Each structure stands twice: as structure tokens, then as C-alpha cells.
Amino acid sequence: MKISYNWLKQYLKIDLPPLQVSDILTNIGLEVEAAETFQSVKGGLKDVVIGEVLTCTKHPNADKLTVTTVDVGSGEVLQIVCGAPNVKVGQKVPVATVGAVLYPTEEGFTIKSSRIRGEESMGMICAEDELGLGTSHDGIMVLDPAALPGTPASEYFQVESDTIFEIGLTPNRIDAASHLGVARDLAAYLKQQREINVMKPSLDEFTVDNHALDISIAIEEKAGCKRYSGLTLTGVSVRESPGWLQNRLRSIGLVPINNVVDITNFVLHESGQPLHAFDAAQIKGHKVIVRTMPEGSTMVTLDEQERSLLASDLMICNEEEGMCIAGVFGGISSGVTEKTTDLFLESACFDPVYIRKTAKHHVLNTDASFRFERGSDPNLTVWALKRAAMLIREIAGGKISSEVMDLYPDPVEDFRVELNYAHVNRLIGTPIDPATIRSILESLEITVEAQSETGMVLRVPPYRVDVRREADLIEEILRIYGFNRVETGTKLRSALSYSAKPDKELVIHMTAEMLTSKGFFELKSNSLTRSSYYDTEELADPGAVRLFNPLSQDLALMRKSLLHGGLEAIAYNINRKNPDLKLYEFGNCYYRNPAPKGEQLADKFREELHMGLFLTGRSRPGNWVQSPGESSFYMLKNYVEGVMVKLGIDPRALEILANENPGYSNGLVYSHRGDLMVEFGAVATSLLRQAEIKQPVFAAEFNWDNLFKLLSGHRVLFSALPRFQVVSRDFSLMLDRGVTFESLRALAFRTEKKLLKKVILFDVYEGEKIDRGKKSYALNFTLLDEEKTLTDKQIDRAMMNLARAFEKEFGAVVRGMN
């Protein structure tokens, strides 16, 4: 919402710097998100002055140009070449001097000294369109002979400069959606330092001129219209608005239309009360009816769109047809045009629910609907009506030709709220004098019905839709009193809280940081997914959680796996030339329990937190030093086990099974006591084809809930760095192909329990140079004595023990020990 500082100063006697006003408004809850300068003429006519034409001579080299000399009041006479046919000696004219920037278009141009057909020109004598003062380009502007040379054009033309505050208005503060509303809050704050009051425009001169045009009003849909006020005007002349009115509207981003419409917009932004003007000649039967119309009825709105109405749309009708969508948008047939001479002026209070439903259905968001949706002031309708009528009579002429017609079936009473001083001091945290409390509340137009030593009984006006309880009143007091004035106490009040360890969120964050450090990017996919991912042509997945009324089949199920969302993200990136990906995602998956234990909703469904990993494309780019690396199953396995090790879980302690999930063509499953921890592998070709992915994808999906249960029984232990030297030894083994590295590793640790710290497989060979059914493993062993430096004798004995164990257990042939 935009608020003009100059406009605001019409209601408050203040001359504070705009920056200070901005800070005050922000501190009292009307946050100023931006402040910008507005000028009624773009550029402010800087470096444009009033000049007097001293001489005019024909240009020697151009028939249509004139060489003039102009006194611009600086003591220097400027020679200016002019192309206007109406330039004459003695004229007072606007002169743009060298360096001035004019804006006949948005881009603008700068006046420079130049030579035109050989003659020097030190400025430009301007037409009104060149200055941005009008549209005429028939010739230069000829000013009043009394104008003084040297007078700045901004002063002569009364160019207005203003500061516009962009206020981020919260939905509960519709009372501040106007200049008077902002002025009220600002005055309440300033009143704590000095005496100041809001100067609301006077309506004392409102009079009814005649009764030449009577139009009756009726409310049939009473639930949708709390109050409806109206009057008529005759003999109105619809034309362009005066400059001050246009400037006011332009300053807050509105485009002037004509004097009548501009006045209704002006009063709206002045007071917060929406108004609407009807061409009285189009009101058939001389009757205005507030009602709904049959479903499917049509009307053409001001934007020339034909709209089909709902049965719940509140309408302003005449005896035959609808004229306006109440509180939202006017109709084109009853709108004010240049031919309009008689008006019916409307000021009403409509129900917020009616207006919001209509505005959302027709996708219309207007200044009027914005205010009605949040709750307008039912007690402001007559004031705004009279204010607009007086302005129309003053600016557009005409006569007020009827009494104010006002239907208010059920007047809205002020809200009665009791306030206790002890509660004020307790909630705010500092004692506030009752006189200060009363002053603040009264400045906010909250009246005191009764006052005692312990508190007050207050009446809150209906337009304060957000003030209904004692706590709301205390918030209002603190807002105006000033949050910054509340001293920080010396006592700290806090509550002890306990959270189970390890903290789930911290563990997730730690894991995410680890993956990000390894080059992964986090993705977020929709938890609603396609039914085709889980259903077949013959059978719908019985374990899927389905939506009763999905927006589309693409959003028909709650996902059971993160796999499909990951594949969608991969396909999206591949299609945009980004095929090399490492992604991870944390997200919930949803399931229907096949045998619910009860009738509660929680018994029928369950959700689990999963984490997905996805690899595809190159793991590293190639260069002159190394060739490109491709993503692989073993690379994914390394990341999967790395996550577990980071969490303090030994993957070797888990049950390892083949992955039978049809979503994977091959892979592994790690589980613990029947609970799945993670499944991973190469994504099945059928799923890749479904996602239109033509390159291999490797994926893993952790059941984070199961993993976390296992994690809760583990502790991550840290130990000091070794004090003594680590020894590394290698040897190769000739083995049967059925022997796995894991079995060799386990045997090595059983054989050498004290000194052996690590076993690594660094080479595998199967080929023609060894016997059929055999393979060669090259192993590296890391040895360390925590208490002393190892001797060669100890090292050799340990290695011989390992070699004998491999020979005995697996029939291995040990070769190349070093």
C-alpha cells in the first residue's frame, strides 16, 4: 500500500524528515518496505528556467529555423536556435539550459550545446509536451507576460515533489489502509511528545441543493450488506480532473480517469471507504436493489469482459438487471462517461465472506475488494458519501439532488472490552502510567466507558476488526508506547526443556552437510505423485494412500518412495544439458496399513522419513591429467556406507541381502533384525524408460526412521591420534572365485586381534594367466601397536600368521609378500 507524505501532511501538522516518519511508522507496526521520491513532472524540470526572447532573426541556412537570443535571468544572454513557428520577441518562455534532462518519453534526453546548420545553440525553448506538462506540440509555450526571467520552471509550474512510503500492511490492519488511518496511528505516537490531532476534513458545508432526482434503495440480501448509503447529484460535468487531484492519485500509482471517478478513488484512499458512482440515467425504475441473481446470469464489467455469475455473487441491481458486482467491480452499462450528467453515488459496507468468494471466483482484485474482504467500517459510509458529494459539487459542478438515503438494518455496536492495569504491566514487562494508557487508547479512537483504580472498561470501534480481547488492547498500547522503550530486565525467566538424544534434526543436518561437502545437491520433490508409478493396468496398489478428489492424475497419490521424484528431477536436468548429477533428498513417504489396529486415522495410515541418494553421468570431468570418471554401483555403495559410518554404524554388522525390489535391476539391501535400513542399486531399465532417461542411474533409499532407531543405541567415539608409527604391508593371494573379500577381512581380524587395524583390497585379477575358477587378490594390511614401536620380528610374525590362516581356511596360495 502506498502512502503519500504530502497527502498525509494535509491531516497532520508535521514537518518531520521522511526518514524519521518511515522509522516511526515501522516501529508502530506499519512497516515501511520502501520509500521513493515522486515528482508531478518527471525530472522536476531541473535546469529549466523562465526566459524572455530578446531577438528573433531568420536562420541563414534554414528556412524553418529561427536564431533567437534569450535572457534567462543569469546575466548572460543565450543564443538558441528554435524551430517553432510561434516564437516572437518579448515572449516569456520556458528554456531548458545546457545539462537539463527532459522526459517527453520514458527514456528522456539531455540538452547539450550544439551547432545547428552552422549556428550555435545553447539550450532549447520548450513546448509543453517536451516538458511533460501536456500533449501539445503546436509550438513553444508562451507564458504570462508577468513571469520573471530566471524563475525556476519547477517553481513557476508548481511542480510537486513528494515522498511515497510503501507500507507492507498486514491483513489484520485494514484500519490503516488509508491516509487518515495512517495519520491516526502517527498522531497517536507523536501525541506522547506534543499535542497533535488529526485534522479530518469538515462536512459542515454539506447541504442538499434540491430534490430533483430521487432514487430509492432496498436491501434484499441482508446477510451480504450490513449498510447501504446513497445520494444523487444532477447537472454534473464529467471532464479531466484538476492538477492537484491528478497528482494525488499519480503519486500512489493510480491513473486519473475523469473527475467523478477520480474523486471516488481519492476518498477511498483518503478514508478507506470504497465508493461507486453510477450513471443515474441507466438506473431503470429509479430503484437500486442489493441482491443476488440466478446462477449463470451474465453481465459485462468495466473491463469489457462478460462474466457468468454465481448464485452467491452479491449484486447491485436496478429493477431489470444487474449493474455492478457489489464491492468488487462495476458494470460497463452503468459506468460514468463523458455523457453522464446525473449520478447516483454509493457508499456501503458489504460482508467480507461474500466479497472474498466473488473476487476469488472471478479472479478480480480491486482496491475496493481488498478493503471489503478484510472488513470495512460500517459507521464510515455516510461520512465518505458526503465528502465525495461535496468534492464532486466543487470540481464537477452540479447539485446534490437528494437527501442521504441510509439503510442500516442492524447497527453494529462498539466492542466492549475490560482492561486490567496489572495485566498490562505483566504482559509488557514495565509499568505504564494509567494516564498514558488512556491517552494512547483515546488517540486510537477507543473510548473509555468507565475507569477505576485497577483498570478501564473500553469501547472499541467496529473498524478495529483485530481488537477484541484484553491482550489485543495491550498490544495496541505497547505498539504506540514503543517496543524500544521497554527496558531489559535483570531477571531471566526460562523453562528447562529436554530433548531426546541424539537430536533427529541435528543428525539430518549433519548428514546433509556431509553429502553437500561431497558434491551432492539437495532436491525437493512433491509428495503428491502419479498413480501410474504404483498402479498397473490390472491392479491398483492396495498400499497406496489416494486422494479422494485429486487435481489431476499426476497428483493422485501420496508417494511411497523417493525414487520417482528423484528420476523426475534427473530427467528435468538432463533435458537442460546437465547430465552429471549427484542428488540427495529427505522426505516423508506414505502407506496404508493393510490391517489397521483401530478406527482412528493414525491406525489406518503411516508415514516414514526416507533419504534418497542419486548418481548419474560422470563423477568427474576429464582433463589432460585424468580421463572422465563414470558413476557406478560401487561409488554409490561407498557413499551409502559413508553415511552409516558418519552416524557411527558399522555396515559390516548389518545383514546384507540381494535387492529384490523391482525398481532396481541389481543391488543390495542392508537390514537389522528384519528392519530395512537402506536399499540401493542400479535403477531398473523399465523405470528409466518411463522417465525418458537414456543413461544409467544409481539410487539408494534409506528408511531414516529405522536407521534412527538403530542410531539411538550407538555412540560415536573419538580416540587420540596414534603416538607410534603405522606399518603397511602387502601380499597377493591365489583363491577360488567363490571366496569373498569380506570373508578374508573377517578372518584377518580374528587371526590378528591386537596389531591389525585395517585391511584393503587394492587389486583383483581374473584372466588367462591363472587357473580356471581362480582369481588373484592383492591385499594391504595396516599394523599398529598402541603402546610401542613395532619391530621387524613382530611384523613378520603377524604377516606369517595371516598367510597361514588364509592357506588353512581358504586353500589360498600366498605370493609376493612385502
Side-chain angles (χ1 to χ4, degrees):
M1 181 189 71
K2 292 187 176 182
I3 293 294
S4 158
Y5 189 29
N6 287 351
W7 194 342
L8 202 62
K9 288 192 286 187
Q10 290 187 333
Y11 314 118
L12 291 174
K13 288 185 177 179
I14 56 173
D15 195 23
L16 301 173
L19 183 59
Q20 184 178 348
V21 174
S22 173
D23 289 340
I24 292 172
L25 292 176
T26 298
N27 288 334
I28 62 177
L30 302 177
E31 183 181 1
V32 177
E33 298 176 337
E36 59 185 19
T37 299
F38 167 80
Q39 292 171 320
S40 56
V41 177
K42 188 173 181 179
L45 299 185
K46 184 181 178 183
D47 296 324
V48 180
V49 297
I50 307 304
E52 181 179 0
V53 180
L54 301 180
T55 65
C56 290
T57 59
K58 205 76 168 165
H59 193 293
N61 301 317
D63 292 338
K64 294 185 179 181
L65 298 180
T66 304
V67 179
T68 66
T69 56
V70 183
D71 176 13
V72 293
S74 62
E76 180 183 3
V77 176
L78 302 181
Q79 177 173 297
I80 298 174
V81 176
C82 179
N86 63 327
V87 63
K88 295 180 181 178
V89 172
Q91 289 175 336
K92 302 296 177 60
V93 293
V95 178
T97 60
V98 173
V101 181
L102 303 182
Y103 293 91
T105 62
E106 278 297 314
E107 295 77 19
F109 65 91
T110 303
I111 301 299
K112 301 176 182 178
S113 60
S114 60
R115 300 190 72 84
I116 301 176
R117 295 289 186 94
E119 295 294 325
E120 185 179 50
S121 184
M122 299 298 293
M124 185 171 84
I125 303 175
C126 302
E128 68 175 37
D129 66 327
E130 292 164 338
L131 296 176
L133 297 172
T135 58
S136 173
H137 195 71
D138 294 337
I140 60 171
M141 290 186 76
V142 180
L143 308 179
D144 190 326
L148 296 176
T151 303
S154 58
E155 178 183 323
Y156 180 86
F157 291 108
Q158 298 180 339
V159 174
E160 184 177 354
S161 184
D162 194 1
T163 299
I164 308 301
F165 302 115
E166 182 75 42
I167 295 179
L169 197 66
T170 53
N172 63 310
R173 289 304 314 278
I174 194 61
D175 62 289
S178 65
H179 285 76
L180 280 171
V182 173
R184 178 173 52 237
D185 272 18
L186 188 56
Y189 177 87
L190 295 174
K191 203 166 189 176
Q192 297 180 75
Q193 290 90 38
R194 61 187 176 91
E195 186 61 32
I196 186 171
N197 292 295
V198 177
M199 298 176 293
K200 203 171 181 180
S202 173
L203 302 181
D204 293 341
E205 296 183 6
F206 177 83
T207 57
V208 176
D209 299 308
N210 58 52
H211 294 83
L213 180 59
D214 288 327
I215 292 177
S216 62
I217 58 177
I219 302 176
E220 293 183 1
E221 188 71 16
K222 291 183 171 58
C225 183
K226 298 176 183 177
R227 188 175 188 180
Y228 195 91
S229 308
L231 58 73
T232 62
L233 296 99
T234 57
V236 172
S237 176
V238 179
R239 54 181 182 270
E240 189 179 79
S241 296
W244 70 266
L245 180 54
Q246 293 192 44
N247 286 341
R248 285 284 173 265
L249 298 180
R250 286 196 178 103
S251 70
I252 58 172
L254 299 183
V255 178
I257 298 173
N258 60 53
N259 50 8
V260 172
V261 175
D262 292 350
I263 287 168
T264 60
N265 285 332
F266 175 83
V267 175
L268 164 64
H269 288 276
E270 176 183 59
S271 65
Q273 172 62 43
L275 303 169
H276 189 68
F278 296 86
D279 186 335
Q282 305 303 318
I283 302 176
K284 297 174 182 178
H286 279 214
K287 188 171 185 179
V288 171
I289 307 167
V290 184
R291 63 183 178 90
T292 57
M293 296 179 67
E295 183 91 19
S297 301
T298 61
M299 74 165 294
V300 180
T301 47
L302 287 169
D303 57 359
E304 299 182 357
Q305 297 292 315
E306 184 177 80
R307 301 185 184 274
S308 178
L309 303 176
L310 299 176
S312 60
D313 288 341
L314 194 65
M315 299 293 296
I316 309 299
C317 306
N318 56 42
E319 285 194 332
E320 298 181 11
E321 60 190 1
M323 301 187 294
C324 170
I325 302 177
V328 180
F329 213 31
I332 196 168
S333 62
S334 61
V336 175
T337 68
E338 294 179 355
K339 297 178 180 179
T340 300
T341 57
D342 299 336
L343 300 174
F344 174 77
L345 198 58
E346 166 196 281
S347 181
C349 177
F350 299 116
D351 181 75
V353 176
Y354 275 76
I355 303 305
R356 181 167 181 80
K357 285 182 178 178
T358 296
K360 293 303 177 186
H361 172 74
H362 294 290
V363 196
L364 291 170
N365 184 22
T366 61
D367 286 334
S369 67
F370 176 83
R371 286 156 177 80
F372 283 129
E373 285 177 27
R374 290 157 177 79
S376 63
D377 183 4
N379 297 326
L380 187 60
T381 60
V382 173
W383 186 93
L385 185 68
K386 290 181 177 180
R387 170 71 166 153
M390 291 173 63
L391 286 171
I392 291 173
R393 183 169 61 182
E394 175 189 339
I395 294 172
K399 303 292 183 181
I400 298 175
S401 298
S402 74
E403 299 290 342
V404 172
M405 295 162 281
D406 184 30
L407 296 185
Y408 198 3
D410 299 305
V412 180
E413 299 291 334
D414 291 347
F415 298 99
R416 188 176 185 273
V417 185
E418 294 183 5
L419 180 71
N420 186 291
Y421 296 143
H423 294 169
V424 174
N425 297 336
R426 178 177 61 84
L427 288 178
I428 291 179
T430 190
I432 300 178
D433 182 66
T436 302
I437 293 174
R438 179 166 186 153
S439 173
I440 290 173
L441 293 174
E442 288 181 337
S443 65
L444 293 173
E445 299 182 1
I446 298 172
T447 58
V448 179
E449 183 179 277
Q451 184 172 5
S452 66
E453 293 182 358
T454 59
M456 299 177 182
V457 178
L458 301 160
R459 291 287 183 175
V460 181
Y463 65 79
R464 287 311 307 268
V465 295
D466 62 323
V467 181
R468 294 288 183 271
R469 306 165 300 162
E470 183 184 44
D472 299 329
L473 283 170
I474 295 172
E475 182 183 355
E476 290 298 292
I477 294 166
L478 179 58
R479 183 172 66 85
I480 301 301
Y481 180 77
F483 292 92
N484 295 332
R485 294 177 63 186
V486 179
E487 296 181 1
T488 303
T490 57
K491 296 181 180 178
L492 177 63
R493 295 182 176 89
S494 63
L496 294 175
S497 61
Y498 170 78
S499 60
K501 301 296 181 182
D503 188 301
K504 193 171 187 177
E505 293 301 322
L506 288 178
V507 173
I508 291 174
H509 185 66
M510 177 185 71
T511 307
E513 282 191 332
M514 183 198 80
L515 292 170
T516 301
S517 70
K518 294 182 179 296
F520 281 78
F521 288 89
E522 186 173 10
L523 74 92
K524 285 291 181 185
S525 57
N526 198 337
S527 57
L528 298 176
T529 189
R530 299 178 184 177
S531 57
S532 60
Y533 287 154
Y534 302 101
D535 298 340
T536 64
E537 292 183 4
E538 297 80 18
L539 181 66
D541 188 340
V545 180
R546 302 176 186 276
L547 273 66
F548 283 124
N549 188 24
L551 293 175
S552 70
Q553 288 306 305
D554 288 346
L555 301 171
L557 294 184
M558 304 291 285
R559 67 186 174 194
K560 294 179 62 180
S561 168
L562 301 180
L563 182 58
H564 299 289
L567 293 177
E568 287 177 358
I570 289 170
Y572 181 89
N573 278 270
I574 290 174
N575 291 338
R576 285 153 182 81
K577 308 301 182 182
N578 184 28
D580 306 322
L581 299 166
K582 296 163 73 175
L583 305 173
Y584 72 92
E585 178 180 17
F586 286 94
N588 287 325
C589 294
Y590 307 87
Y591 306 88
R592 179 185 292 274
N593 289 328
K597 297 178 180 178
E599 292 300 319
Q600 298 296 322
L601 195 63
D603 298 324
K604 298 179 181 180
F605 305 97
R606 75 179 192 278
E607 63 180 74
E608 299 172 352
L609 179 63
H610 288 197
M611 182 186 78
L613 299 182
F614 304 92
L615 299 180
T616 188
R618 295 179 299 177
S619 61
R620 66 170 185 269
N623 54 39
W624 64 277
V625 175
Q626 61 183 5
S627 58
E630 295 293 329
S631 298
S632 67
F633 169 81
Y634 292 103
M635 184 177 294
L636 176 66
K637 182 174 182 288
N638 182 53
Y639 287 127
V640 167
E641 294 186 347
V643 168
M644 292 184 169
V645 171
K646 180 70 173 179
L647 300 179
I649 298 173
D650 186 354
R652 297 168 306 196
L654 300 176
E655 302 163 16
I656 303 175
L657 304 169
N659 190 348
E660 297 180 357
N661 187 329
Y664 300 90
S665 59
N666 58 71
L668 297 175
V669 171
Y670 288 1
S671 62
H672 179 72
R673 296 179 181 176
D675 289 336
L676 185 145
M677 298 293 126
V678 61
E679 59 179 349
F680 60 96
V683 177
T685 305
S686 59
L687 291 187
L688 296 180
R689 190 181 304 113
Q690 187 180 37
E692 298 182 353
I693 298 173
K694 298 179 180 179
Q695 61 189 50
V697 177
F698 303 93
E701 187 160 350
F702 291 81
N703 186 315
W704 199 260
D705 289 337
N706 290 342
L707 195 67
F708 202 81
K709 285 190 291 186
L710 183 61
L711 177 62
S712 62
H714 287 257
R715 297 179 64 193
V716 179
L717 301 177
F718 296 88
S719 59
L721 292 171
R723 295 168 54 203
F724 301 99
Q725 185 175 358
V726 174
V727 175
S728 178
R729 290 289 186 269
D730 303 335
F731 62 60
S732 61
L733 302 169
M734 181 76 73
L735 298 155
D736 292 338
R737 285 189 177 181
V739 179
T740 64
F741 167 69
E742 183 58 33
S743 59
L744 294 172
R745 182 179 176 282
L747 177 61
F749 278 103
R750 291 198 304 270
T751 302
E752 183 52 65
K753 299 179 180 179
K754 180 180 179 181
L755 301 182
L756 185 62
K757 303 301 177 183
K758 187 188 298 184
V759 182
I760 296 175
L761 172 65
F762 66 89
D763 188 44
V764 179
Y765 177 76
E766 297 179 11
E768 298 176 355
K769 296 181 180 180
I770 57 177
D771 297 340
R772 182 182 295 274
K774 299 289 184 178
K775 63 182 176 182
S776 175
Y777 271 5
L779 304 179
N780 173 265
F781 301 87
T782 300
L783 304 173
L784 172 68
D785 191 328
E786 302 282 356
E787 300 174 354
K788 62 181 183 294
T789 302
L790 286 170
T791 64
D792 289 342
K793 187 175 181 180
Q794 288 176 298
I795 296 168
D796 292 342
R797 184 169 59 247
M799 295 301 294
M800 289 301 299
N801 288 340
L802 290 170
R804 282 195 290 268
F806 291 148
E807 290 171 349
K808 181 180 178 182
E809 186 76 16
F810 298 112
V813 177
V814 178
R815 304 184 300 175
M817 186 182 298
N818 58 63

